[in-house]
Amino acid sequence: MTKGSGSDSSMPKNTANMRVVEGSYAVAHAVMCCRPEVISAYPITPQTHIVENLSQMAADGELDSTFLTVDSEFSALSVLVGSTACGGRGYSSTTSQGLALMYEVLYNVSGMRLPIVMTVANRAMGAPLNIWNDHQDSIGARDVGWLQIYVENVQEAVDATLQAYKIAEDPEIRTPIMVCMDGFILTHVYEPVELLDKDKAREFLPDFKPANILDPNNPLTFGAFADPSTYTEFRYQQFVAHQKALEKIDQVARDFQKAFGRYYGGLLDSYYAEDAEVILIAMGSVVGTIKDAIDEMRAEGISVGLIKLRCYRPFPVAALRQALAGAKVIAVVEKDVSIGNEAGLVTDLKAAFYNTDIKAPIIGFAAGLGGRDITLKDVRKIVDKALAAEKGIENEFEFLDLREEIL
């Protein structure tokens, strides 16, 4: 029985750059170490502190980057389309309604194969207006052609930012990527973080030198009109790039471990999952709460484990099939809901297992919507329902901790 590959190795070993800082500052510092030529952003809670810190770094001369404040999130990403197409490394961050306002441009960025990195400080979508954390914003953008990495804690958010550029800018990938971190829970927490060393970051991430850029001396067309005779092939090339990214994400995670000594899994990670009968699967900061609950239940002899899904797009079908092959029942805990169906992750997981020999019952829970707490007691409740599902599924999908008295 083992905790899993990332349970201990994700903790900083070298504390030379250890600081107690806000999560947003730690991410901004990581972006600075990645050396973007252009940062374009529009402030929106709870993302604002990230770009405030970057603006200050640029103003102080600590960051050699053009920092642009624009009139909207749509403009923020549109600016990066032009600057990245001209050969500049680009960065932005957003959340919730801001990500929704970018929607048209998200497709343009991925279709033009521009390797922009964007931090999404996950926040609930309105209406009703809610500024607290869930994953509805980025899950709603799962099909726009961006890679998506979800992080458990601030240290992982820092390290995933550097990894993201390495992945996105690979000549065989050339695909934008969202690093998704839970709003407030991670963006506004103060905790010890090993900040990136600038020199080591430069060694790990070389300068951005794309093969093709907009250049009057060598005219090219980006985002051209495609009629029915060619459009499918553009989409196919994006599809293939995502499949190649599966291996690249794993490789970069291992390369980062060699360079910096920290590892969080590549596509996913496990916690007491190897011999577990009940396996929970989740993304983001709730993973920490689930680990604490598992520790308690394991001490009581309950055979429960966790698969932390780190990469949601591309969806790591083969890795999940391997990791969950021995489960007797699988419970998916996710902070989103697909109105009219179930929720994103549980639906994808069922599809991944449909044509396989894995016949474990799969049940799903929409939890933590709009920032509602997911407690140790809630995790135990999920495990109890999962154990009951071994004998027969009563509900394939349900809202956790639903307050029926106010309906």
Side-chain angles (χ1 to χ4, degrees), residues 217-385:
N217 296 318
N218 182 29
L220 298 173
T221 299
F222 280 63
F225 178 82
D227 68 17
S229 69
T230 60
Y231 184 85
T232 296
E233 286 66 34
F234 279 95
R235 286 292 176 258
Y236 174 74
Q237 287 180 326
Q238 286 183 259
F239 183 87
V240 170
H242 268 242
Q243 298 310 301
K244 290 180 178 179
L246 290 166
E247 182 178 352
K248 188 67 179 180
I249 291 167
D250 258 332
Q251 177 190 326
V252 170
R254 291 297 184 185
D255 290 344
F256 185 91
Q257 183 184 25
K258 292 177 182 177
F260 293 89
R262 297 186 293 273
Y263 182 70
Y264 310 89
L267 302 170
L268 50 82
D269 200 10
S270 65
Y271 192 76
Y272 285 124
E274 292 179 359
D275 65 339
E277 295 184 4
V278 175
I279 297 184
L280 308 180
I281 179 168
M283 304 187 296
S285 64
V286 71
V287 165
T289 301
I290 294 174
K291 287 178 178 178
D292 288 342
I294 288 174
D295 288 343
E296 290 183 358
M297 288 184 282
R298 279 282 179 169
E300 299 167 10
I302 301 173
S303 181
V304 58
L306 167 72
I307 294 298
K308 163 190 167 181
L309 186 62
R310 187 167 179 262
C311 171
Y312 182 57
R313 282 295 182 270
F315 196 62
V317 173
L320 285 166
R321 286 176 177 174
Q322 180 178 356
L324 296 168
K328 291 187 176 180
V329 61
I330 300 164
V332 182
V333 186
E334 55 185 307
K335 294 182 175 183
D336 68 280
V337 60
S338 179
I339 304 298
N341 190 22
E342 299 176 326
L345 177 53
V346 68
T347 302
D348 286 340
L349 194 65
K350 287 179 178 179
F353 287 179
Y354 184 76
N355 291 323
T356 72
D357 294 329
I358 301 172
K359 303 303 180 185
I362 300 175
I363 58 176
F365 298 86
L369 301 184
R372 183 167 295 182
D373 286 341
I374 302 174
T375 66
L376 297 176
K377 183 179 178 181
D378 290 329
V379 178
R380 284 179 173 270
K381 187 186 300 183
I382 291 168
V383 172
D384 289 341
K385 288 178 178 288

Side-chain angles (χ1 to χ4, degrees), residues 40 42 70-81 98 100-106 108:
S40 180
Y42 188 86
V70 291
D71 62 348
S72 71
E73 289 85 1
F74 183 95
S75 297
L77 196 54
S78 296
V79 165
L80 293 183
V81 169
L101 189 56
M102 289 178 172
Y103 198 74
E104 176 186 339
V105 194
L106 294 173
N108 290 335

Side-chain angles (χ1 to χ4, degrees), residues 14-281:
N14 178 7
T15 58
N17 292 325
M18 181 73 74
R19 303 287 187 274
V20 177
V21 296
E22 186 189 44
S24 292
Y25 175 84
V27 170
H29 186 276
V31 172
M32 176 189 67
C33 292
C34 294
R35 312 178 311 283
E37 279 90 2
V38 180
I39 299 170
S40 180
Y42 188 86
I44 177 172
T45 302
Q47 159 266 28
T48 306
H49 291 185
I50 297 174
V51 293
E52 280 183 347
N53 280 299
L54 286 168
S55 176
Q56 191 66 56
M57 291 172 182
D60 292 343
E62 189 177 5
L63 169 61
D64 183 14
S65 178
T66 298
F67 186 96
L68 297 171
T69 53
V70 291
D71 62 348
S72 71
E73 289 85 1
F74 183 95
S75 297
L77 196 54
S78 296
V79 165
L80 293 183
V81 169
S83 61
T84 306
C86 290
R89 179 175 286 159
Y91 173 81
S92 189
S93 64
T94 192
T95 183
S96 187
Q97 315 297 128
L99 183 63
L101 189 56
M102 289 178 172
Y103 198 74
E104 176 186 339
V105 194
L106 294 173
Y107 276 101
N108 290 335
V109 172
S110 62
M112 293 168 67
R113 309 293 294 278
L114 302 174
I116 294 168
V117 172
M118 180 163 64
T119 304
V120 176
N122 288 113
R123 178 188 126 185
M125 296 290 297
L129 177 64
N130 181 291
I131 64 169
W132 288 271
N133 164 252
D134 66 29
H135 293 161
Q136 195 67 57
D137 49 3
S138 54
I139 294 293
R142 63 180 175 170
D143 295 328
V144 299
W146 287 55
L147 310 176
Q148 289 190 358
I149 300 292
Y150 289 77
V151 302
E152 177 184 351
N153 51 47
V154 175
Q155 188 68 62
E156 185 175 6
V158 166
D159 298 345
T161 301
L162 182 61
Q163 292 179 39
Y165 278 105
K166 184 92 165 180
I167 297 162
E169 293 175 0
D170 184 276
E172 292 193 340
I173 310 300
R174 291 187 297 117
T175 299
I177 183 167
M178 299 179 191
V179 178
C180 304
M181 64 185 299
D182 287 356
F184 289 113
I185 298 171
L186 299 183
T187 58
H188 285 56
V189 69
Y190 279 78
E191 62 184 23
V193 180
E194 179 75 10
L195 299 176
L196 295 177
D197 179 272
K198 293 180 183 179
D199 292 334
K200 289 181 67 176
R202 180 178 288 276
E203 183 178 347
F204 184 83
L205 178 69
D207 291 339
F208 181 42
K209 295 181 179 179
N212 299 306
I213 63 172
L214 288 176
D215 182 354
N217 296 318
N218 182 29
L220 298 173
T221 299
F222 280 63
F225 178 82
D227 68 17
S229 69
T230 60
Y231 184 85
T232 296
E233 286 66 34
F234 279 95
R235 286 292 176 258
Y236 174 74
Q237 287 180 326
Q238 286 183 259
F239 183 87
V240 170
H242 268 242
Q243 298 310 301
K244 290 180 178 179
L246 290 166
E247 182 178 352
K248 188 67 179 180
I249 291 167
D250 258 332
Q251 177 190 326
V252 170
R254 291 297 184 185
D255 290 344
F256 185 91
Q257 183 184 25
K258 292 177 182 177
F260 293 89
R262 297 186 293 273
Y263 182 70
Y264 310 89
L267 302 170
L268 50 82
D269 200 10
S270 65
Y271 192 76
Y272 285 124
E274 292 179 359
D275 65 339
E277 295 184 4
V278 175
I279 297 184
L280 308 180
I281 179 168

